[in-house]
């Protein structure tokens, strides 16, 4: 057992609910890119329970090694080594992909980076392939809960470029890049699971 595995309680709380949705969307074999892998808890859980998929973890070059302890402990043959991927880069150091997933990244990235993530994915996904995005979003110009309002304020105080995104802005931005919002699932703790489909 690795001594110092990074740990996120939120990942432990949400991984079963996210897995349920991922298993509906990614039913056939293929390589799934995870953007902003973080601790690696999600990568291990999803790769273990979706053995027909090959999981490609990735994260910002400053952060992509964080998940190694979880990956090394799990020893799963369907997880590839994590890729150092900043979504703003023009070259993405990843293999061909048939789908993508990201959790809790849209409110951390600057809006320009969110746009870059969608542009990069739209370029690499084939027609009909999906990008699943989990996290909190605003609807009708406002927060969906008091806790999300407080979280948003906390993010903006930490860094002016962060903040919970508005679903309407996301849809317009994604549509411009050839990705259509196919499903929007309500998730526990005031989060959403969005399925974007490449036209
Ligand atoms: C709040 S963490 C979420 C981590 C994990 N997905 C989870 O749900 O616990 C946000 C992640 O986005 C990554 N990130 C931020 N900016 C990025 C960028 N420009 N390119 C790729 N990843 C980025 C961070 O390194 C971090 O791992």
């Amino acid at each position: 057992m690795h001594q110092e595995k990074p740990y996120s309680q939120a990942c432990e709380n949400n991984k079963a609910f996210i897995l349920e949705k991922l298993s509906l969307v990614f039913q056939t074999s293929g390589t799934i890119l995870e953007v902003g892998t973080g601790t690696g808890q999600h990568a291990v859980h999803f790769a273990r329970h979706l053995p027909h998929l090959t999981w490609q973890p990735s994260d910002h070059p400053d952060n992509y090694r964080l998940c190694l302890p979880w990956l090394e402990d799990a020893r799963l043959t369907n997880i590839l080594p994590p890729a150092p991927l900043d979504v703003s880069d023009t070259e993405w150091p990843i293999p061909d992909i048939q789908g993508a997933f990201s959790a809790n990244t849209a409110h951390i990235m600057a809006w320009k980076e969110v746009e870059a993530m969608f542009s990069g994915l739209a370029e690499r996904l084939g027609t009909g392939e999906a990008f699943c995005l989990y996290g909190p979003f605003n609807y009708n110009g406002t927060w969906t809960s008091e806790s999300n309002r407080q979280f948003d304020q906390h993010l903006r105080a930490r860094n002016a470029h962060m903040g919970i995104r508005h679903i309407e802005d996301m849809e317009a931005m994604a549509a411009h890049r050839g990705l259509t919002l196919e499903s929007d699932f309500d998730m526990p703790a005031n989060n959403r699971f969005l399925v974007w489909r490449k036209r």
Side-chain angles (χ1 to χ4, degrees), residues 17 33 45 59 68 78 105 150 162 193:
F17 298 102
L33 171 67
H45 191 70
D59 210 325
L68 283 175
N78 62 330
T105 47
Q150 287 179 14
M162 295 183 184
F193 185 96

Side-chain angles (χ1 to χ4, degrees), residues 8 10-11 14 18 34-42 58-64 66 85-89 101-110 113-114 117 134 151 158 161:
S8 155
C11 284
N14 62 32
I18 297 176
E34 181 180 13
V35 176
T37 289
T39 63
Q41 285 159 274
H42 277 160
S58 78
D59 210 325
H60 193 280
D62 294 343
N63 209 25
Y64 80 107
L66 182 75
L85 170 64
D86 179 341
V87 292
S88 301
D89 290 343
F101 165 74
S102 192
N104 293 315
T105 47
H107 57 273
I108 297 295
M109 293 176 180
E113 294 173 316
V114 179
M117 173 165 69
Y134 170 88
F151 181 50
R158 198 172 125 199
H161 78 225

Side-chain angles (χ1 to χ4, degrees), residues 61-139:
D62 294 343
N63 209 25
Y64 80 107
R65 294 176 59 84
L66 182 75
C67 62
L68 283 175
W70 278 90
L71 269 45
E72 285 166 5
D73 258 12
R75 294 172 181 271
L76 294 169
T77 54
N78 62 330
I79 304 189
L80 299 172
L85 170 64
D86 179 341
V87 292
S88 301
D89 290 343
T90 40
E91 294 294 321
W92 285 22
I94 57 161
D96 280 351
I97 56 168
Q98 287 73 47
F101 165 74
S102 192
N104 293 315
T105 47
H107 57 273
I108 297 295
M109 293 176 180
W111 180 247
K112 279 213 156 307
E113 294 173 316
V114 179
E115 291 179 324
M117 173 165 69
F118 274 76
S119 295
L121 290 174
E123 219 175 280
R124 288 163 181 86
L125 290 173
T127 301
E129 292 175 343
F131 169 39
C132 298
L133 179 62
Y134 170 88
F137 293 92
N138 291 340
Y139 291 75

